[in-house]
PDB file of all heavy atoms in Angstrom:
ATOM      1  N   GLN H  95      79.925  85.148 112.624  1.00  0.00           N
ATOM      2  CA  GLN H  95      80.270  84.042 113.504  1.00  0.00           C
ATOM      3  C   GLN H  95      80.238  84.483 114.939  1.00  0.00           C
ATOM      4  O   GLN H  95      79.764  83.757 115.817  1.00  0.00           O
ATOM      5  CB  GLN H  95      81.665  83.606 113.111  1.00  0.00           C
ATOM      6  CG  GLN H  95      82.220  82.422 113.890  1.00  0.00           C
ATOM      7  CD  GLN H  95      81.497  81.129 113.589  1.00  0.00           C
ATOM      8  OE1 GLN H  95      80.472  81.101 113.048  1.00  0.00           O
ATOM      9  NE2 GLN H  95      82.157  80.050 113.974  1.00  0.00           N
ATOM     10  N   VAL H  96      80.744  85.684 115.238  1.00  0.00           N
ATOM     11  CA  VAL H  96      80.686  86.206 116.626  1.00  0.00           C
ATOM     12  C   VAL H  96      79.269  86.413 117.080  1.00  0.00           C
ATOM     13  O   VAL H  96      78.874  85.967 118.185  1.00  0.00           O
ATOM     14  CB  VAL H  96      81.497  87.485 116.713  1.00  0.00           C
ATOM     15  CG1 VAL H  96      81.255  88.167 118.024  1.00  0.00           C
ATOM     16  CG2 VAL H  96      83.007  87.237 116.531  1.00  0.00           C
ATOM     17  N   LEU H  97      78.405  86.969 116.224  1.00  0.00           N
ATOM     18  CA  LEU H  97      77.048  87.209 116.592  1.00  0.00           C
ATOM     19  C   LEU H  97      76.299  85.867 116.780  1.00  0.00           C
ATOM     20  O   LEU H  97      75.528  85.741 117.739  1.00  0.00           O
ATOM     21  CB  LEU H  97      76.300  88.038 115.532  1.00  0.00           C
ATOM     22  CG  LEU H  97      76.753  89.463 115.404  1.00  0.00           C
ATOM     23  CD1 LEU H  97      76.089  90.130 114.226  1.00  0.00           C
ATOM     24  CD2 LEU H  97      76.476  90.221 116.642  1.00  0.00           C
ATOM     25  N   LEU H  98      76.566  84.899 115.954  1.00  0.00           N
ATOM     26  CA  LEU H  98      75.922  83.577 116.158  1.00  0.00           C
ATOM     27  C   LEU H  98      76.405  82.885 117.435  1.00  0.00           C
ATOM     28  O   LEU H  98      75.628  82.199 118.092  1.00  0.00           O
ATOM     29  CB  LEU H  98      76.185  82.706 114.928  1.00  0.00           C
ATOM     30  CG  LEU H  98      75.456  83.075 113.621  1.00  0.00           C
ATOM     31  CD1 LEU H  98      76.065  82.284 112.485  1.00  0.00           C
ATOM     32  CD2 LEU H  98      73.989  82.926 113.778  1.00  0.00           C
ATOM     33  N   GLY H  99      77.676  83.072 117.761  1.00  0.00           N
ATOM     34  CA  GLY H  99      78.199  82.493 118.994  1.00  0.00           C
ATOM     35  C   GLY H  99      77.595  83.159 120.238  1.00  0.00           C
ATOM     36  O   GLY H  99      77.213  82.490 121.173  1.00  0.00           O
ATOM     37  N   ILE H 100      77.464  84.445 120.184  1.00  0.00           N
ATOM     38  CA  ILE H 100      76.822  85.253 121.331  1.00  0.00           C
ATOM     39  C   ILE H 100      75.380  84.784 121.483  1.00  0.00           C
ATOM     40  O   ILE H 100      74.867  84.646 122.615  1.00  0.00           O
ATOM     41  CB  ILE H 100      76.978  86.699 121.162  1.00  0.00           C
ATOM     42  CG1 ILE H 100      78.470  87.142 121.291  1.00  0.00           C
ATOM     43  CG2 ILE H 100      76.129  87.488 122.130  1.00  0.00           C
ATOM     44  CD1 ILE H 100      78.705  88.565 120.883  1.00  0.00           C
ATOM     45  N   ALA H 101      74.729  84.569 120.322  1.00  0.00           N
ATOM     46  CA  ALA H 101      73.248  84.202 120.370  1.00  0.00           C
ATOM     47  C   ALA H 101      73.064  82.732 120.651  1.00  0.00           C
ATOM     48  O   ALA H 101      71.928  82.271 120.818  1.00  0.00           O
ATOM     49  CB  ALA H 101      72.629  84.528 119.032  1.00  0.00           C
ATOM     50  N   HIS H 102      74.215  81.964 120.834  1.00  0.00           N
ATOM     51  CA  HIS H 102      74.099  80.511 121.129  1.00  0.00           C
ATOM     52  C   HIS H 102      73.272  79.765 120.062  1.00  0.00           C
ATOM     53  O   HIS H 102      72.348  79.065 120.430  1.00  0.00           O
ATOM     54  CB  HIS H 102      73.605  80.245 122.531  1.00  0.00           C
ATOM     55  CG  HIS H 102      74.420  80.903 123.571  1.00  0.00           C
ATOM     56  ND1 HIS H 102      75.709  80.357 123.933  1.00  0.00           N
ATOM     57  CD2 HIS H 102      74.223  81.974 124.330  1.00  0.00           C
ATOM     58  CE1 HIS H 102      76.207  81.075 124.918  1.00  0.00           C
ATOM     59  NE2 HIS H 102      75.364  82.074 125.186  1.00  0.00           N
ATOM     60  N   ILE H 103      73.654  79.953 118.780  1.00  0.00           N
ATOM     61  CA  ILE H 103      72.997  79.232 117.691  1.00  0.00           C
ATOM     62  C   ILE H 103      74.014  78.302 117.051  1.00  0.00           C
ATOM     63  O   ILE H 103      74.596  78.613 116.003  1.00  0.00           O
ATOM     64  CB  ILE H 103      72.439  80.228 116.661  1.00  0.00           C
ATOM     65  CG1 ILE H 103      71.489  81.224 117.332  1.00  0.00           C
ATOM     66  CG2 ILE H 103      71.684  79.465 115.559  1.00  0.00           C
ATOM     67  CD1 ILE H 103      71.011  82.294 116.400  1.00  0.00           C
ATOM     68  N   PRO H 104      74.302  77.135 117.737  1.00  0.00           N
ATOM     69  CA  PRO H 104      75.359  76.280 117.210  1.00  0.00           C
ATOM     70  C   PRO H 104      75.033  75.614 115.845  1.00  0.00           C
ATOM     71  O   PRO H 104      75.928  75.246 115.151  1.00  0.00           O
ATOM     72  CB  PRO H 104      75.487  75.186 118.296  1.00  0.00           C
ATOM     73  CG  PRO H 104      74.207  75.238 119.036  1.00  0.00           C
ATOM     74  CD  PRO H 104      73.668  76.602 118.955  1.00  0.00           C
ATOM     75  N   SER H 105      73.688  75.537 115.513  1.00  0.00           N
ATOM     76  CA  SER H 105      73.381  74.923 114.239  1.00  0.00           C
ATOM     77  C   SER H 105      73.871  75.760 113.019  1.00  0.00           C
ATOM     78  O   SER H 105      74.081  75.216 111.917  1.00  0.00           O
ATOM     79  CB  SER H 105      71.884  74.740 114.127  1.00  0.00           C
ATOM     80  OG  SER H 105      71.211  76.015 114.202  1.00  0.00           O
ATOM     81  N   LEU H 106      74.140  77.057 113.213  1.00  0.00           N
ATOM     82  CA  LEU H 106      74.768  77.922 112.206  1.00  0.00           C
ATOM     83  C   LEU H 106      76.170  78.252 112.513  1.00  0.00           C
ATOM     84  O   LEU H 106      77.003  78.412 111.631  1.00  0.00           O
ATOM     85  CB  LEU H 106      73.938  79.178 112.023  1.00  0.00           C
ATOM     86  CG  LEU H 106      72.469  79.000 111.521  1.00  0.00           C
ATOM     87  CD1 LEU H 106      71.769  80.353 111.508  1.00  0.00           C
ATOM     88  CD2 LEU H 106      72.503  78.344 110.224  1.00  0.00           C
ATOM     89  N   HIS H 107      76.499  78.376 113.794  1.00  0.00           N
ATOM     90  CA  HIS H 107      77.838  78.775 114.274  1.00  0.00           C
ATOM     91  C   HIS H 107      78.908  77.741 113.907  1.00  0.00           C
ATOM     92  O   HIS H 107      79.940  78.109 113.427  1.00  0.00           O
ATOM     93  CB  HIS H 107      77.700  78.991 115.816  1.00  0.00           C
ATOM     94  CG  HIS H 107      79.059  79.441 116.416  1.00  0.00           C
ATOM     95  ND1 HIS H 107      79.518  80.758 116.317  1.00  0.00           N
ATOM     96  CD2 HIS H 107      80.009  78.868 117.173  1.00  0.00           C
ATOM     97  CE1 HIS H 107      80.660  80.882 116.949  1.00  0.00           C
ATOM     98  NE2 HIS H 107      80.957  79.718 117.524  1.00  0.00           N
ATOM     99  N   VAL H 108      78.571  76.511 114.128  1.00  0.00           N
ATOM    100  CA  VAL H 108      79.593  75.455 113.823  1.00  0.00           C
ATOM    101  C   VAL H 108      79.855  75.298 112.331  1.00  0.00           C
ATOM    102  O   VAL H 108      81.026  75.307 111.897  1.00  0.00           O
ATOM    103  CB  VAL H 108      79.183  74.100 114.464  1.00  0.00           C
ATOM    104  CG1 VAL H 108      80.070  72.981 114.047  1.00  0.00           C
ATOM    105  CG2 VAL H 108      79.166  74.222 115.990  1.00  0.00           C
ATOM    106  N   PRO H 109      78.840  75.189 111.462  1.00  0.00           N
ATOM    107  CA  PRO H 109      79.108  75.051 110.041  1.00  0.00           C
ATOM    108  C   PRO H 109      79.826  76.269 109.514  1.00  0.00           C
ATOM    109  O   PRO H 109      80.681  76.162 108.617  1.00  0.00           O
ATOM    110  CB  PRO H 109      77.729  74.882 109.385  1.00  0.00           C
ATOM    111  CG  PRO H 109      76.857  74.444 110.471  1.00  0.00           C
ATOM    112  CD  PRO H 109      77.392  75.011 111.718  1.00  0.00           C
ATOM    113  N   LEU H 110      79.471  77.487 110.003  1.00  0.00           N
ATOM    114  CA  LEU H 110      80.150  78.674 109.515  1.00  0.00           C
ATOM    115  C   LEU H 110      81.616  78.648 109.920  1.00  0.00           C
ATOM    116  O   LEU H 110      82.473  79.073 109.151  1.00  0.00           O
ATOM    117  CB  LEU H 110      79.462  79.962 110.044  1.00  0.00           C
ATOM    118  CG  LEU H 110      80.041  81.292 109.606  1.00  0.00           C
ATOM    119  CD1 LEU H 110      80.020  81.375 108.082  1.00  0.00           C
ATOM    120  CD2 LEU H 110      79.238  82.427 110.194  1.00  0.00           C
ATOM    121  N   GLY H 111      81.897  78.152 111.075  1.00  0.00           N
ATOM    122  CA  GLY H 111      83.290  78.025 111.538  1.00  0.00           C
ATOM    123  C   GLY H 111      84.060  77.106 110.623  1.00  0.00           C
ATOM    124  O   GLY H 111      85.192  77.352 110.310  1.00  0.00           O
ATOM    125  N   VAL H 112      83.475  75.983 110.266  1.00  0.00           N
ATOM    126  CA  VAL H 112      84.147  75.041 109.317  1.00  0.00           C
ATOM    127  C   VAL H 112      84.341  75.707 107.972  1.00  0.00           C
ATOM    128  O   VAL H 112      85.464  75.554 107.405  1.00  0.00           O
ATOM    129  CB  VAL H 112      83.264  73.763 109.181  1.00  0.00           C
ATOM    130  CG1 VAL H 112      83.845  72.892 108.096  1.00  0.00           C
ATOM    131  CG2 VAL H 112      83.172  73.014 110.500  1.00  0.00           C
ATOM    132  N   LEU H 113      83.379  76.423 107.524  1.00  0.00           N
ATOM    133  CA  LEU H 113      83.544  77.127 106.215  1.00  0.00           C
ATOM    134  C   LEU H 113      84.688  78.173 106.316  1.00  0.00           C
ATOM    135  O   LEU H 113      85.480  78.294 105.366  1.00  0.00           O
ATOM    136  CB  LEU H 113      82.231  77.827 105.851  1.00  0.00           C
ATOM    137  CG  LEU H 113      82.257  78.715 104.571  1.00  0.00           C
ATOM    138  CD1 LEU H 113      82.532  77.854 103.330  1.00  0.00           C
ATOM    139  CD2 LEU H 113      80.958  79.501 104.474  1.00  0.00           C
ATOM    140  N   MET H 114      84.642  78.909 107.406  1.00  0.00           N
ATOM    141  CA  MET H 114      85.725  79.940 107.575  1.00  0.00           C
ATOM    142  C   MET H 114      87.109  79.322 107.612  1.00  0.00           C
ATOM    143  O   MET H 114      88.075  79.861 107.010  1.00  0.00           O
ATOM    144  CB  MET H 114      85.464  80.748 108.844  1.00  0.00           C
ATOM    145  CG  MET H 114      84.279  81.657 108.760  1.00  0.00           C
ATOM    146  SD  MET H 114      83.869  82.466 110.322  1.00  0.00           S
ATOM    147  CE  MET H 114      85.312  83.369 110.630  1.00  0.00           C
ATOM    148  N   PHE H 115      87.233  78.154 108.259  1.00  0.00           N
ATOM    149  CA  PHE H 115      88.527  77.507 108.303  1.00  0.00           C
ATOM    150  C   PHE H 115      88.998  77.090 106.886  1.00  0.00           C
ATOM    151  O   PHE H 115      90.126  77.272 106.487  1.00  0.00           O
ATOM    152  CB  PHE H 115      88.533  76.330 109.279  1.00  0.00           C
ATOM    153  CG  PHE H 115      89.864  75.624 109.344  1.00  0.00           C
ATOM    154  CD1 PHE H 115      90.945  76.243 109.949  1.00  0.00           C
ATOM    155  CD2 PHE H 115      90.054  74.395 108.790  1.00  0.00           C
ATOM    156  CE1 PHE H 115      92.196  75.587 110.000  1.00  0.00           C
ATOM    157  CE2 PHE H 115      91.255  73.718 108.805  1.00  0.00           C
ATOM    158  CZ  PHE H 115      92.333  74.325 109.403  1.00  0.00           C
ATOM    159  N   ALA H 116      88.031  76.507 106.193  1.00  0.00           N
ATOM    160  CA  ALA H 116      88.347  76.019 104.819  1.00  0.00           C
ATOM    161  C   ALA H 116      88.713  77.175 103.959  1.00  0.00           C
ATOM    162  O   ALA H 116      89.720  77.102 103.128  1.00  0.00           O
ATOM    163  CB  ALA H 116      87.167  75.252 104.263  1.00  0.00           C
ATOM    164  N   LEU H 117      87.998  78.292 103.991  1.00  0.00           N
ATOM    165  CA  LEU H 117      88.336  79.464 103.167  1.00  0.00           C
ATOM    166  C   LEU H 117      89.644  80.094 103.520  1.00  0.00           C
ATOM    167  O   LEU H 117      90.436  80.440 102.679  1.00  0.00           O
ATOM    168  CB  LEU H 117      87.192  80.503 103.292  1.00  0.00           C
ATOM    169  CG  LEU H 117      85.843  80.161 102.617  1.00  0.00           C
ATOM    170  CD1 LEU H 117      84.810  81.211 102.958  1.00  0.00           C
ATOM    171  CD2 LEU H 117      86.021  79.970 101.127  1.00  0.00           C
TER     172      LEU H 117
END
Side-chain angles (χ1 to χ4, degrees):
Q95 181 72 340
V96 169
L97 292 174
L98 290 169
I100 291 170
H102 300 287
I103 305 174
S105 61
L106 296 175
H107 182 75
V108 172
L110 182 57
V112 172
L113 175 67
M114 288 173 62
F115 180 71
L117 290 173

